[in-house]
Amino acid sequence: MPIATVNPANGETLKTYEAMGEEEIERRLQLAEATFRTYRMSRFVDRGRLLLQAANLLDEDQRDIGRIMTTEMGKPVKQARAEAAKCARAMRWYAEHAEALLADERPPDADVTDSGASRVRVRYRPLGPVLAVMPWNFPLWQVIRFAAPALMAGNVGLLKHASNVPQTALYLEDLFHRAGFTEGCFQTLLIGSGAVDGILRDERVRAATLTGSEPAGRAVASTAGDMVKKTVLELGGSDPFVVMPSADIDRAAQVAVTARVQNNGQSCIAAKRFIVHTDVYDAFAERFVAGMKALKVGDPMQEDTEVGPLASEQGRADLEELVDDAKRGGAAVLCGGRRPDWPGWYYPPTVLAGITREMRIHREEAFGPVATLYRAGDLDEAVLIANDSPFGLSSNVWTRDEAETERFARDLEAGAVYVNGMTASHPAFPFGGVKRSGYGRELSGHGIREFCNITTVWQGA
């Protein structure tokens, strides 16, 4: 895949870039290693000061970088600006909390005495250069939620971004440099996916994090396993959105629309499978379909656009295949289901009902504004349908029954359970999944400790 900015609203190639050669890659690896030796010794207060400056610069750049993101991957420009603002908030959060999150820990005194030590500490030390392989769908946020904690922990970053968002990738490197971080603290590698394996095998790279497709995750995990290197993987998701009879149906349907089409439906944590108790199925379906039909699809640069184009022509083709397979299997199309006849890689908000286990869309992630509706006879069946997926990233539950809330929190196979609200990522909450959605956690204290050497310091009497 060429490294290029291709506007998904019209298919026009705007900029192309040459991939870095071996000599430049080697220079950057050397720089990362050399920088880490000194940066790891820096104080939290100094790292935090630099990160706060980066957050301030990002706030100032919000409109410009928002337009770049929209041009490169098609999200509505209002959502792009909101993504930039969210990144700045996350940087400030880590600048404020990192030192406390990584403070030395002490076991209980009784356990220390029993070990024969006069003092025992658990210390969190940085690992070294971390390779981040990042996707295009949230081209700022996916990177910042790795970079902010990694830099505050004393690591340095090497970014291999998706090949269709090169301007965003270069902006991120420039942002950290303008903030005052030395050149080797954060570097963008303009490379194709074929170069990742060799870089990950380099001894100077100590760990890797990837957000992306399951095949990409398998490839990185395989290489990292061969090299015995730590990885964090955030892969696909096909999140359930369960609606029970006690729910506020109007509110649930309203949030369901946003939960399905946020970022043009191209979000791993977007709700995709809507599992509704039979007692309220018809009422929910009527409201949900009406809301999906009412969305404005169009030019993502327009302030009132709610759904823009998909990021790539191949992405739209993959989505169409899933929908067409469901149609052939007997699924009912309640709205959408056919591409519009105008330029760009648009696909309409679509709702499918009558889904069976034989349909591909039941097992595969629909990365676009396509929702599937399921009818559940009771709570047990709702849980069974929700867990009948190879993925387990997040989940949504709508109920005002506390016993039902506890049951879903206990039994849903997911990294998060959001009750009466839409799944969202927040710097204070751990983020990640189970099953084929990956392993490890980003954000919160759990995320910043993923790329630390958790060190026991034992002192005798």
Side-chain angles (χ1 to χ4, degrees):
M1 181 178 182
I3 301 174
T5 296
V6 182
N7 188 344
N10 55 27
E12 180 184 357
T13 299
L14 302 176
K15 287 189 178 184
T16 58
Y17 297 82
E18 289 292 327
M20 290 176 178
E22 291 184 6
E23 185 175 322
E24 178 62 11
I25 293 172
E26 173 60 24
R27 185 188 76 81
R28 288 175 177 250
L29 287 171
Q30 288 181 11
L31 182 59
E33 182 184 40
T35 301
F36 173 66
R37 293 195 196 107
T38 55
Y39 182 70
R40 66 185 293 271
M41 305 300 292
S42 61
R43 300 181 303 166
F44 280 106
V45 65
D46 295 325
R47 298 174 199 165
R49 175 179 51 79
L50 295 174
L51 197 60
L52 288 174
Q53 178 61 13
N56 293 337
L57 290 171
L58 181 53
D59 278 338
E60 293 174 8
D61 297 343
Q62 188 182 116
R63 297 192 73 84
D64 290 340
I65 187 58
R67 292 183 68 84
I68 289 172
M69 285 191 285
T70 295
T71 299
E72 291 200 308
M73 55 71 59
K75 71 171 73 231
V77 71
K78 286 177 66 175
Q79 295 181 27
R81 292 197 301 269
E83 181 176 338
K86 180 177 183 177
C87 290
R89 290 194 298 272
M91 286 192 280
R92 292 188 177 99
W93 191 88
Y94 271 110
E96 178 182 352
H97 295 289
E99 185 171 10
L101 293 172
L102 297 180
D104 287 0
E105 298 174 2
R106 294 186 60 183
D109 290 341
D111 293 339
V112 171
T113 303
D114 181 66
S115 75
S118 64
R119 183 185 182 197
V120 175
R121 290 167 289 157
V122 176
R123 174 161 291 182
Y124 294 96
R125 298 186 293 163
L127 286 179
V130 179
L131 174 65
V133 182
M134 294 288 108
W136 47 261
N137 58 334
F138 291 96
L140 273 188
W141 174 240
Q142 304 282 11
V143 177
I144 293 300
R145 73 186 195 189
F146 135 75
L151 289 169
M152 285 305 300
N155 295 302
V156 300
L158 295 163
L159 169 65
K160 190 284 181 218
H161 217 323
S163 293
N164 61 332
V165 290
Q167 292 186 65
T168 306
L170 292 171
Y171 167 82
L172 282 157
E173 180 181 83
D174 181 63
L175 173 69
F176 287 113
H177 293 174
R178 284 189 290 137
F181 286 95
T182 57
E183 183 185 359
C185 283
F186 185 93
Q187 300 179 83
T188 287
L189 305 178
L190 283 185
I191 56 175
S193 58
V196 170
D197 185 81
I199 294 171
L200 185 52
R201 289 184 182 279
D202 192 289
E203 294 290 348
R204 291 164 292 191
V205 174
R206 301 298 179 86
T209 178
L210 177 142
T211 299
S213 68
E214 187 181 336
R218 288 179 184 274
V220 165
S222 176
T223 298
D226 189 43
M227 299 301 295
V228 197
K229 293 183 180 181
K230 176 69 178 290
T231 54
V232 171
L233 302 181
E234 193 264 277
L235 308 179
S238 190
D239 291 2
F241 189 106
V242 181
V243 183
M244 298 299 287
S246 64
D248 180 337
I249 301 302
D250 289 333
R251 177 63 179 158
Q254 180 185 21
V255 173
V257 172
T258 302
R260 176 63 285 229
V261 303
Q262 60 174 321
N263 207 48
N264 302 338
Q266 300 165 123
S267 170
C268 294
I269 58 169
K272 299 181 177 79
R273 297 177 297 130
F274 296 83
I275 303 161
V276 187
H277 192 284
T278 189
D279 290 353
V280 291
Y281 179 92
D282 292 337
F284 175 86
E286 179 183 3
R287 291 161 174 76
F288 180 50
V289 172
M292 293 284 276
K293 286 181 177 179
L295 292 166
K296 180 175 181 181
V297 180
D299 181 356
M301 287 294 184
Q302 297 298 316
E303 293 291 329
D304 59 347
T305 293
E306 295 170 294
V307 180
L310 299 189
S312 70
E313 190 171 17
Q314 184 60 54
R316 182 175 67 173
D318 292 343
L319 188 66
E320 285 181 310
E321 287 182 11
L322 288 181
V323 173
D324 289 345
D325 174 78
K327 288 179 185 177
R328 289 192 295 271
V333 180
L334 304 187
C335 68
R338 187 181 301 275
R339 72 161 72 175
D341 186 21
W342 65 64
W345 301 317
Y346 291 89
Y347 199 82
T350 298
V351 180
L352 304 176
I355 305 301
T356 66
R357 299 188 81 253
E358 291 71 33
M359 297 173 187
R360 287 178 54 199
I361 202 167
H362 177 75
R363 305 289 296 175
E364 299 178 30
E365 180 179 20
F367 218 57
V370 175
T372 52
L373 269 176
Y374 295 79
R375 187 189 296 267
D378 55 24
L379 185 149
D380 289 337
E381 187 177 11
V383 170
L384 285 172
I385 297 171
N387 289 340
D388 188 23
S389 169
F391 301 106
L393 191 53
S394 189
S395 58
N396 304 259
V397 174
W398 289 77
T399 177
R400 287 182 279 203
D401 184 311
E402 190 61 31
E404 289 180 349
T405 295
E406 290 305 310
R407 172 72 187 281
F408 284 116
R410 184 193 72 185
D411 291 347
L412 288 180
E413 297 169 350
V417 180
Y418 277 69
V419 181
N420 298 330
M422 188 178 82
T423 296
S425 52
H426 186 284
F429 308 153
F431 183 93
V434 295
K435 299 194 288 189
R436 293 187 185 176
S437 288
Y439 52 74
R441 290 295 180 267
E442 297 177 291
L443 303 174
S444 76
H446 297 277
I448 197 171
R449 298 184 194 110
E450 286 281 7
F451 295 118
C452 287
N453 175 2
I454 304 173
T455 308
T456 297
V457 181
W458 185 99
Q459 293 177 247

